[in-house]
Amino acid sequence: MSARVAGLGAVALSAVLAGSACAQGSALERRVLAVGDGRAAFSFPARPDACGDGASWYRVGTDSWYGRTVEVYDAASPRAACEAGPVRVVVTLVAREVSRVEAFVGPLRTEEGITDLGPVEGRDATAWLLQLARTAGGRAARDAIAPVTLARDGGAAEGLAAIARDDDRSRDTRRAAVGALLRLQGGEGVTTLVTLSGREDEWLAGEALRVLGRSGDPRARQHLRAVLGDARQDEARRRVAAGGLGGERATGEDAALLRAGFARMETDRGREAVLSAVASVGGRTNAQWLMGVAKDGRHSPSVRRRAVSLAERAGATGADLAALYDGVEDSETRGALIGALASEGSRPAREKLAAIATSTETPAIRRRAIAALERFNSDETREVLTTLAVPRP
C-alpha cells in the first residue's frame, strides 16, 4: 500500500471515529445518562460575582436574585448569607431522558438519592447544557440555559445565539436564550444581542431589542438610540427601541430623541409607545410635551386620551390639567382629563371638577365630573354634591 493510500485511510478512520464520538455524545453526557432513572449532580467553577446558599437561591451581582422561594431573600434572615462556591447542577432523568435541570451556587451539598459526578470543566458543562437546550423539549431545554450564565469563562455567547436563531425551537426556549445573553459575565452577550436585533426574523429582532432595553450597558443604549432615530427601520423595531430608552436610565438626550421620534411613527401604536416612554422619564418638560400632544387636534382621539393620562403620571399638576381642559373642545379628551384630574386629586383639581359638575357642560360630562368628585371625602366636595342633590354612597 502506498503512503498516500495509507494516509487517506488514516484520515477516513479519524473521520469515522470523530463521527462516532459525536454520535455517542460528550463524556459528561454519557456519565449523566448512565444514571438512567434518578438524579445526578455535577459542579463547575462559578463566575466571581455569583454566590448563594447552595440549596435554595443564588445571587448574581448586587441585585439579581434567583431561587425557589422569595422568603430567603430577607437580608435579616440567618439563611440569607450569600457564600461563594461552585455552580452545582442537579439533573433529573426518567428512562435516560433529562426531564429537569436545577442550578445552585455556594457550598456544595451531599444529598441522599443523588449520584454525585463531581467537578467538571466549565466549558465542558456549558457545551453539554447548550446541547441539551438545542435538543431537549419543554422545561428541560429552558432549564438547561440558566446555569450556562453562571459559568466562569463559559464561552456561551455563540451557543446561546444559535439557539435564539433556531426557528425549530419553541419560542419559550429561544426567548430564554436571548435573555441569557444579557446575563453573561462582563457583558459578553451585548454585542451578540445587537447583531440579533438586526436579523430579518422580526420576532427575534424584537426580543433582542427588548432585552437590550433592560441593559445599562453603553453599547446597548447607543444601539437603541440608533434604531429609534433610523427612519429606515421597521416601525415595530423603533417602537421596541423607544420602550427601552425610557425609564430610570434615560438621559435628557434620550427624552429629546423620544420626543423627536414621535413624529416619525406611522401608526397610533407606535405613537403611544413613544408617549409611554416619555412619561416614564417624567419631569416638567416631558409633562408639558405630553399635554401639547393631548391638545393637538391632528392626533387621533386614542392618542390624545393616552397623552392625557400619561401627562398626569409624568408630573402635570392639577392646575396644568385644569388649564388643558379649557383648551380642548372634544368630549373624549375632556372625559380623559376628568379622569386625570380625579387621579391627581389636588385642591385645584377638585375645584375644577366641581366647576365642571356645576357648569353647562353636556349631561354626560357633568355626570363624569360628579362621579369623580364622589371619590373625595372633603367638605367642599360634599357641599357641591349636596347642592347638586347627589347623595353620597
Side-chain angles (χ1 to χ4, degrees):
M1 179 183 295
S2 68
R4 180 174 180 275
V5 174
L8 289 174
V11 171
L13 179 60
S14 297
V16 170
L17 291 174
S20 175
C22 290
Q24 294 172 9
S26 68
L28 176 58
E29 179 183 24
R30 292 193 297 273
R31 293 174 66 201
V32 171
L33 296 184
V35 173
D37 286 285
R39 303 171 76 196
F42 58 88
S43 61
F44 56 89
R47 55 194 287 179
D49 59 348
C51 60
D53 71 345
S56 300
W57 57 270
Y58 61 87
R59 189 185 77 206
V60 179
T62 58
D63 57 3
S64 296
W65 298 80
Y66 306 88
R68 296 171 175 171
T69 61
V70 297
E71 289 84 357
V72 294
Y73 297 166
D74 180 3
S77 168
R79 296 180 296 172
C82 201
E83 297 185 42
V87 180
R88 178 170 173 262
V89 175
V90 179
V91 180
T92 301
L93 299 108
V94 178
R96 291 176 57 86
E97 182 178 351
V98 176
S99 62
R100 186 175 184 182
V101 178
E102 298 175 276
F104 309 95
V105 179
L108 289 176
R109 295 165 55 90
T110 300
E111 297 181 60
E112 187 175 350
I114 296 181
T115 302
D116 188 358
L117 304 179
V120 300
E121 293 291 332
R123 285 186 176 261
D124 291 343
T126 296
W128 178 67
L129 290 164
L130 288 172
Q131 177 65 17
L132 183 63
R134 284 193 296 267
T135 57
R139 176 177 180 172
R142 296 190 299 274
D143 285 353
I145 290 172
V148 168
T149 67
L150 298 170
R152 177 182 299 174
D153 188 28
E158 183 48 45
L160 289 169
I163 296 168
R165 292 190 299 263
D166 188 355
D167 197 34
D168 290 333
R169 296 279 83 198
S170 74
R171 285 196 168 179
D172 279 348
T173 299
R174 296 173 70 195
R175 186 178 291 112
V178 175
L181 281 164
L182 186 61
R183 303 197 301 275
L184 292 179
Q185 182 180 345
E188 177 190 354
V190 170
T191 301
T192 304
L193 284 167
V194 169
T195 300
L196 292 177
S197 73
R199 300 277 298 184
E200 291 183 2
D201 181 337
E202 289 297 331
W203 178 86
L204 177 56
E207 286 297 315
L209 284 169
R210 267 184 281 276
V211 170
L212 286 168
R214 302 200 297 265
S215 172
D217 189 295
R219 295 169 295 174
R221 303 294 296 177
Q222 191 55 43
H223 181 64
L224 293 172
R225 295 178 188 120
V227 171
L228 178 63
D230 186 355
R232 297 168 299 177
Q233 292 275 359
D234 183 81
E235 185 186 89
R237 300 190 189 197
R238 288 184 281 130
R239 186 172 68 238
V240 176
L245 281 176
E248 62 184 18
R249 294 191 180 93
T251 64
E253 176 192 358
D254 292 333
L257 285 171
L258 286 165
R259 297 193 299 268
F262 177 81
R264 292 191 291 270
M265 293 294 181
E266 296 88 15
T267 67
D268 280 359
R269 187 177 179 187
R271 296 182 190 103
E272 291 180 18
V274 174
L275 294 178
S276 296
V278 170
S280 72
V281 180
R284 184 72 179 166
T285 298
N286 292 318
Q288 290 289 342
W289 179 81
L290 288 163
M291 289 191 292
V293 172
K295 192 174 180 179
D296 192 338
R298 295 174 297 175
H299 300 307
S300 70
S302 65
V303 167
R304 298 177 71 188
R305 288 196 304 270
R306 185 66 175 152
V308 166
S309 63
L310 291 169
E312 187 270 325
R313 296 184 203 175
T317 66
D320 292 331
L321 296 169
L324 179 58
Y325 184 95
D326 294 333
V328 299
E329 297 181 357
D330 66 288
S331 58
E332 289 193 50
T333 305
R334 285 191 160 189
L337 277 161
I338 288 172
L341 286 164
S343 179
E344 200 275 342
S346 65
R347 179 181 292 275
R350 299 195 304 272
E351 289 175 349
K352 184 61 180 178
L353 289 171
I356 296 168
T358 57
S359 71
T360 57
E361 286 276 11
T362 63
I365 289 293
R366 293 179 64 202
R367 283 196 296 270
R368 291 190 69 163
I370 291 167
L373 283 170
E374 290 176 344
R375 301 185 193 182
F376 303 103
N377 185 23
S378 63
D379 292 340
E380 70 267 27
T381 55
R382 280 195 296 271
E383 182 178 347
V384 171
L385 292 168
T386 300
T387 301
L388 293 168
V390 178
R392 296 284 291 172

